[in-house]
Amino acid sequence: MNQTYALVPQPVSVKQGEGFFQCRGVPVISGDSIFKNEIDTVSAQFRADWERCGCADNTGGAAGKIFCKKEDMKEEAYRLLITQDAVTVSAGSGAGIYNGLQSLRQMFLGGCDEAVSIPCGEIEDRPRFGWRGLMLDCSRYFYSVEFIKKLIDTLSLHHINVFHWHLTDDQGWRLPIKEYPLLIEIGSKRREHRLSGRFSGGFYTEDDIRDVIAFATARHVEVVPEVDFPGHASAILAAYPGLGCTGGPYQVEDRFGIFEDVLCAGNDGIFDLAAAAFDTLARLFPSAYVHIGGDEVRFNNWNECPKCKKRLAETGLKTPQELQSWITVRLAKMLAERGKTAIGWDEVLEDTGQYKLPKNVVVQSWRGREGGIKASGLGHRVIMSSSKDGCYLDYRHSPDPEEIGQRWGKSTVFQGYSMDPITPEMTAEQAALVLGGQANLWSELIYAGKIAEYMIFPRICAIAESLWTAKEAKNFEDFKRRLPIHQERLDRLGILQYRGNLEG
Ligand SMILES: [Zn+2]
């Protein structure tokens, strides 16, 4: 069986030689003891991949040998040396070994019912960016832990290493906080019109969260939680109406959109809530980052509310818009006290006259590239995920009206392939502040894991290549050649995929 590697994302260097490494049954991985965790994790993946296609492994552990070797190499980099007798994966870290083994796993996913033949050769690889992420909105739709784990596993096959977990929004709060039990009792459920107006929803228990983090960590995926302040707060207000400007009544939103009711900037109670949320996140999540949202805040209530007016007078600020900056500064400081760095959507850059955004706050650019360009110019680290560059996976794959997704935009595979987190406007200093990029899946219309898969794949394959592969090594024509081979691997993992026009 002749084949090329056809890896996604494309490695930095691929040299194909003579002959084949052949393997019957589940390959056996061994190696230096510091890589025990990676060897255990990937061995279990190999066994699961085999079982999924219904093939028995009758080799009794005698199948093709894979050896993991420690070598001095950059974090996340790896080398694959494929000879007729064995495959050697070399790396300087567990992350590098894991990446190398995932590239190998892709090759094995090409077949299993017969002997797998992989051409001999050598692959050298390392990432262009350190931050390669996907955000999943678990508020508009409450995805199961099982789905999230399947997703993280499949993302890691593409060297995606950040899972941005959107845990709170107007339509549901998913994070238990001991001091605020009503966030779950009331804030996690909403009237669901698809279910004849019955209340539905859910939340992740602390055990669920630990389970997801352990699963992701074993795959070298960092889980970054997001809790939104001060907008997108209807679920908080339904549970604790005293935290709003009008006192309510409020409901966990059963509509989609942007709402006037936000947290009251004049009420110190909102910081008590944030402190309890941050304490919980700091206890559960090992990530150095907490995303605090900050997007789409409506200021009309802050203009009318006596408490907000008092706050304006006390702080000497002129406009309610500036109060958001005042809140962001305070939240970032609270996170810093807990050893965490704040990330905010690009609105946190606005109206920052008197309360400058602290330098260490990371800005996630979403309304275009402008936020990332401006933020890096001000010395902030940035994550690029422009809705205009194919990173918004809630948009349709193409203008076809029968496609799933938001009507106001499209995100084609080609756009995702063409996105570059470093824009021509950036200086070298600015470019150095670009951590990487992300795709984001908002779930107003995506009310099942299966639909989420269809929206994510194969667009994330293109975005993974934009974030991993050296710019010079990218080539859309070559990607189009590799993609059908790769999509068969994803079929085998049971992933539902879009297979239409890649250029919309
Ligand atoms: Zn107020």
Side-chain angles (χ1 to χ4, degrees):
M1 179 172 65
N2 195 7
Q3 62 171 119
T4 58
Y5 299 126
L7 297 173
V8 177
Q10 174 68 23
V12 169
S13 147
V14 178
K15 288 180 203 140
Q16 207 166 310
E18 295 289 309
F20 292 88
F21 169 80
Q22 291 186 319
C23 177
R24 248 173 221 288
V26 182
V28 178
I29 315 173
S30 63
D32 291 341
S33 57
I34 56 158
F35 299 133
K36 183 182 181 304
N37 290 344
E38 288 74 23
I39 291 169
D40 288 350
T41 300
V42 181
S43 295
Q45 285 172 333
F46 277 153
R47 281 194 298 276
D49 293 347
W50 248 261
E51 277 163 21
R52 217 175 269 117
C53 74
C55 287
D57 175 29
N58 300 321
T59 57
K65 302 249 185 306
I66 299 168
F67 189 78
C68 301
K69 193 173 147 203
K70 171 106 166 71
E71 249 187 65
D72 218 14
M73 251 184 253
K74 274 196 173 162
E75 180 75 19
E76 294 207 272
Y78 68 89
R79 181 187 310 113
L80 274 178
L81 183 64
I82 303 160
T83 68
Q84 289 187 12
D85 303 323
V87 177
T88 308
V89 190
S90 310
S93 68
I97 285 291
Y98 186 79
N99 289 330
L101 288 170
Q102 291 309 301
S103 293
L104 201 55
R105 184 182 173 204
Q106 291 192 15
M107 300 179 200
F108 277 102
L109 280 169
C112 81
D113 47 352
E114 50 183 307
V116 176
S117 289
I118 299 173
C120 293
E122 189 170 354
I123 293 170
E124 299 259 6
D125 208 4
R126 59 185 172 276
R128 182 172 172 215
F129 295 100
W131 189 290
R132 307 177 298 275
L134 177 111
M135 186 216 74
L136 184 68
D137 171 5
C138 293
S139 173
R140 275 58 174 265
Y141 181 74
F142 179 68
Y143 295 95
S144 71
V145 167
E146 279 318 299
F147 173 73
I148 291 172
K149 286 161 79 170
K150 178 188 180 188
L151 179 61
I152 288 173
D153 186 72
T154 314
L155 292 173
S156 79
L157 182 70
H158 304 81
H159 312 324
I160 294 290
N161 66 348
V162 175
F163 175 65
H164 169 174
W165 201 355
H166 188 79
L167 286 164
T168 76
D169 217 302
D170 293 298
Q171 293 82 4
W173 181 281
R174 311 296 179 206
L175 174 74
I177 296 176
K178 287 197 188 85
E179 300 87 336
Y180 292 84
L182 300 183
L183 288 174
I184 292 306
E185 278 174 44
I186 294 171
S188 75
K189 297 171 212 125
R190 71 167 183 264
R191 202 176 289 285
E192 183 60 76
H193 297 290
R194 283 193 190 89
L195 301 171
S196 313
R198 280 213 320 268
F199 275 80
S200 78
F203 65 98
Y204 303 105
T205 65
E206 291 201 357
D207 282 345
D208 289 338
I209 292 167
R210 284 190 204 99
D211 184 25
V212 166
I213 293 171
F215 184 90
T217 304
R219 285 154 182 77
H220 292 276
V221 174
E222 180 171 343
V223 182
V224 176
E226 180 182 351
V227 289
D228 280 15
F229 302 112
H232 290 298
S234 302
I236 302 174
L237 294 175
Y240 295 97
L243 297 177
C245 289
T246 66
Y250 306 104
Q251 61 163 1
V252 182
E253 270 303 339
D254 54 6
R255 302 165 296 172
F256 297 122
I258 304 172
F259 303 99
E260 292 295 332
D261 288 313
V262 301
L263 297 180
C264 174
N267 187 337
D268 285 331
I270 67 172
F271 296 106
D272 297 334
L273 170 73
F278 293 165
D279 284 340
T280 305
L281 294 175
R283 183 165 52 79
L284 292 173
F285 289 78
S287 172
Y289 300 93
V290 170
H291 204 304
I292 55 171
D295 57 317
E296 300 179 328
V297 181
R298 290 284 167 86
F299 303 102
N300 295 330
N301 287 346
W302 290 1
N303 256 327
E304 308 295 329
C305 165
K307 283 186 198 161
C308 287
K309 283 187 187 164
K310 185 160 170 272
R311 182 78 82 199
L312 270 173
E314 284 165 8
T315 50
L317 293 171
K318 288 178 194 66
T319 68
Q321 280 83 344
E322 289 173 288
L323 273 179
Q324 186 182 352
S325 308
W326 176 81
I327 291 173
T328 305
V329 167
R330 194 152 160 185
L331 295 176
K333 184 160 171 278
M334 289 165 64
L335 280 173
E337 286 162 4
R338 290 161 177 81
K340 303 287 183 187
T341 298
I343 306 172
W345 298 106
D346 57 42
E347 285 95 330
V348 297
L349 286 166
E350 292 171 1
D351 303 296
T352 53
Q354 197 174 320
Y355 288 91
K356 294 255 177 302
L357 191 63
K359 268 276 166 61
N360 70 337
V361 174
V362 178
V363 175
Q364 183 165 5
S365 194
W366 73 276
R367 291 176 294 179
R369 305 168 188 171
E370 296 77 14
I373 297 168
K374 182 178 171 195
S376 58
L378 293 167
H380 295 281
R381 289 172 295 161
V382 302
I383 299 160
M384 298 299 270
S385 60
S386 165
S387 55
K388 295 168 186 160
D389 287 326
C391 295
Y392 266 47
L393 305 187
D394 55 326
Y395 293 0
R396 286 179 293 178
H397 285 278
S398 80
D400 181 346
E402 298 306 325
E403 279 295 337
I404 306 165
Q406 297 292 8
R407 292 295 181 253
W408 54 73
K410 67 168 177 161
S411 288
T412 67
V413 170
F414 178 69
Q415 279 176 294
Y417 196 86
S418 309
M419 78 87 93
D420 187 343
I422 293 177
T423 74
E425 298 86 350
M426 290 179 183
T427 64
E429 289 77 22
Q430 284 174 283
L433 292 167
V434 177
L435 297 176
Q438 261 187 228
N440 301 324
L441 182 62
W442 301 103
S443 58
E444 286 92 338
L445 304 178
I446 316 301
Y447 57 90
K450 270 291 153 207
I451 310 175
E453 289 177 10
Y454 181 86
M455 302 309 276
I456 294 170
F457 298 95
R459 289 188 284 201
I460 195 68
C461 306
I463 292 167
E465 192 147 319
S466 291
L467 300 176
W468 175 277
T469 304
K471 209 175 167 183
E472 314 79 67
K474 279 178 71 184
N475 177 320
F476 189 61
E477 289 307 310
D478 188 63
F479 177 79
K480 279 201 291 193
R481 178 189 66 79
R482 283 178 278 126
L483 188 59
I485 301 168
H486 187 70
Q487 288 201 271
E488 282 184 31
R489 298 169 183 149
L490 295 175
D491 287 341
R492 197 166 138 200
L493 294 176
I495 297 286
L496 183 71
Q497 304 169 71
Y498 168 79
R499 280 191 151 90
N501 190 341
L502 302 182
E503 296 171 64

